[in-house]
Amino acid sequence: MITVDEALEHLFALVGPLDVEEVPLGDAAGRVLARQQTARRDQPPFAASAMDGYAIRAADLAPGARFDVVGDSAAGARFDGSISPGQTVRIFTGAPMPEGADRVVIQEDCTREGAAMTITGTPGDNRHVRAAGADFTIGHVMDAPRRLSPADIALLAAMNVPRVPVTRRPEIALISTGDELVMPGEAPGPDQIIASNTFGLKALAEEAGAHARLLPIARDSEESLITAFDLARGADLVVTIGGASVGDHDLVGKVAADLGMARSFYKVAMRPGKPLMAGRLEGSAMLGLPGNPVSAIVCGVLFLRPVIHAMLGLPPRAPARLHATLEGSVPENGPRQHFMRAHVSEGRITPFPTQDSALLSVLAQANALLPRPIGDGPRKPGERVEYIPI
């Protein structure tokens, strides 16, 4: 068996960034920017008022000073002219500053009577003017790769970038295996269960940025598995769920090998999730996950999500780890790295008392995995520990 870190390195060696496509900015949220983008204009492109009020020459500012109002400046409709000493322009937030003005007196500090404005308050030192290019200037760079957030989209729009190059979404083919499985909504027989893993992994893959296809359930026969692999042709990554162990009905490894899979590894020193397999099959990367529901989702967090990120051109790395204070105690760990389901709240982490790999109800309550290194000693309440958010 290999370690979790070694398994990740093998998986990263099986994939790489996919090709690049260009999409409209309005469709780019959540996509991974493939190439850096450069601003095509200054922001703001002119000195602008930060408040509603009156634009004046700062040199004319004085308590009780009186000004002649010579016009208005609104966003999108600037005052076409300049102001002289003793003159002012009524101005609104975002409007261009008139030529000659370098200060805005907010309306709360003024009194307006007809065409005259008098300073009646105490304006203070803030000029309430946003300088041209105060946010960014032509040539400002947005680095890549990066997953585009709503703030990134807004910034690109302000940079006057209408279309962006993004990495193509990986196509993932998901194959559940087993005679015992039926789809949600079907009537299971007395010895059957619902195929839940595929739906959880589809959600995980698409949240990570991929497009996932649910293929028909592959039954426990070589013919059914061959059909399933044939349906998966063209996918960037084929993910099987179940059938990767060593039982009489676990045929995924044999069928994949018969079809020409170049195996990268089999079995990882971890729990849940020991029967993990990976390789390349007919131009696609392949990841064989265990069939236990919790095992499949935990392996999705630890392996599938990082692999998808690598295919999107993001840095290939293990899931981020944070720190929290342990609530309760945990016993000594054994010869496999253990990823305990846990809940984190206000900087404290509590492992669930039951860690059975079949209990989806526990996993649904968890928001963290508590990784226990191989041979890790017992841990006491109050110790600082690492955790992986899920």
Side-chain angles (χ1 to χ4, degrees):
M1 288 189 290
I2 62 175
T3 67
V4 170
D5 289 342
E6 289 170 336
L8 259 180
E9 290 303 315
H10 281 291
L11 283 166
F12 290 146
L14 294 173
V15 299
L18 300 177
D19 49 301
V20 176
E21 60 187 11
E22 195 174 83
V23 299
L25 183 60
D27 297 333
R31 303 294 298 271
V32 173
L33 184 67
R35 295 189 291 268
Q36 69 177 29
Q37 297 298 293
T38 304
R40 305 174 185 181
R41 70 196 309 261
D42 297 340
Q43 178 70 7
F46 44 75
S49 176
M51 301 288 284
D52 292 342
Y54 292 85
I56 66 170
R57 297 168 67 250
D60 294 342
L61 180 67
R66 189 174 185 278
F67 298 83
D68 294 327
V69 181
V70 296
D72 294 344
S73 183
R78 70 170 62 224
F79 173 74
D80 188 15
S82 61
I83 64 171
S84 302
Q87 293 182 330
T88 186
V89 166
R90 175 72 166 123
I91 196 165
F92 300 91
T93 303
M97 291 291 289
E99 185 179 343
D102 56 0
R103 168 73 193 242
V104 173
V105 181
I106 63 174
Q107 59 190 20
E108 291 84 353
D109 290 331
C110 304
T111 299
R112 174 79 177 266
E113 293 181 2
M117 180 275 284
T118 303
I119 297 177
T120 53
T122 305
D125 296 328
N126 193 333
R127 292 185 175 232
H128 302 296
V129 176
R130 298 184 179 121
D135 191 357
F136 58 83
T137 57
I138 292 173
H140 173 82
V141 171
M142 178 180 284
D143 289 328
R146 65 194 294 146
R147 188 181 293 277
L148 292 171
S149 69
D152 292 329
I153 297 296
L155 177 56
L156 285 167
M159 290 164 59
N160 201 24
V161 177
R163 298 180 65 84
V164 290
V166 295
T167 307
R168 178 175 62 80
R169 294 185 188 275
E171 290 289 328
I172 312 294
L174 295 168
I175 305 172
S176 283
T177 68
D179 288 342
E180 75 278 14
L181 300 178
V182 297
M183 295 294 282
E186 296 181 356
D191 300 323
Q192 290 185 307
I193 59 174
I194 307 298
S196 58
N197 297 347
T198 322
F199 289 87
L201 289 166
K202 182 179 189 295
L204 185 150
E206 294 189 339
E207 183 181 64
H211 176 262
R213 290 189 286 133
L214 294 177
L215 299 187
I217 295 170
R219 300 306 172 185
D220 290 326
S221 71
E222 293 188 19
E223 294 78 12
S224 184
L225 279 167
I226 290 170
T227 299
F229 280 122
D230 188 58
L231 292 173
R233 287 178 185 271
D236 299 299
L237 176 64
V238 178
V239 178
T240 60
I241 306 103
S245 192
V246 292
D248 292 342
H249 300 284
D250 295 318
L251 303 173
V252 170
K254 178 184 183 304
V255 171
D258 290 345
L259 293 173
M261 181 187 76
R263 180 182 290 181
S264 177
F265 66 84
Y266 174 54
K267 291 187 180 180
V268 180
M270 61 179 289
R271 61 184 177 118
K274 175 184 172 182
L276 194 77
M277 176 175 57
R280 289 201 67 83
L281 176 63
E282 296 183 338
S284 302
M286 179 182 163
L287 177 61
L289 300 180
N292 274 333
V294 174
S295 302
I297 300 299
V298 168
C299 287
V301 171
L302 298 177
F303 301 111
L304 178 58
R305 183 182 288 158
V307 164
I308 291 171
H309 287 174
M311 298 171 84
L312 287 168
L314 296 170
R317 58 191 176 205
R321 296 194 179 196
L322 305 177
H323 291 84
T325 301
L326 184 63
E327 286 275 304
S329 58
V330 290
E332 180 180 2
N333 192 36
R336 287 187 284 159
Q337 190 171 6
H338 189 191
F339 294 88
M340 303 180 73
R341 278 68 72 201
H343 189 270
V344 177
S345 177
E346 297 181 350
R348 307 188 76 83
I349 185 167
T350 305
F352 286 94
T354 303
Q355 294 290 322
D356 192 302
S357 62
L359 302 182
L360 276 173
S361 60
V362 173
L363 182 64
Q365 298 174 64
N367 62 2
L369 297 176
L370 174 61
R372 305 289 313 287
I374 294 172
D376 189 42
R379 297 289 180 174
K380 298 178 181 179
E383 290 192 48
R384 294 289 287 175
V385 293
E386 291 185 326
Y387 72 90
I388 298 169
I390 59 173

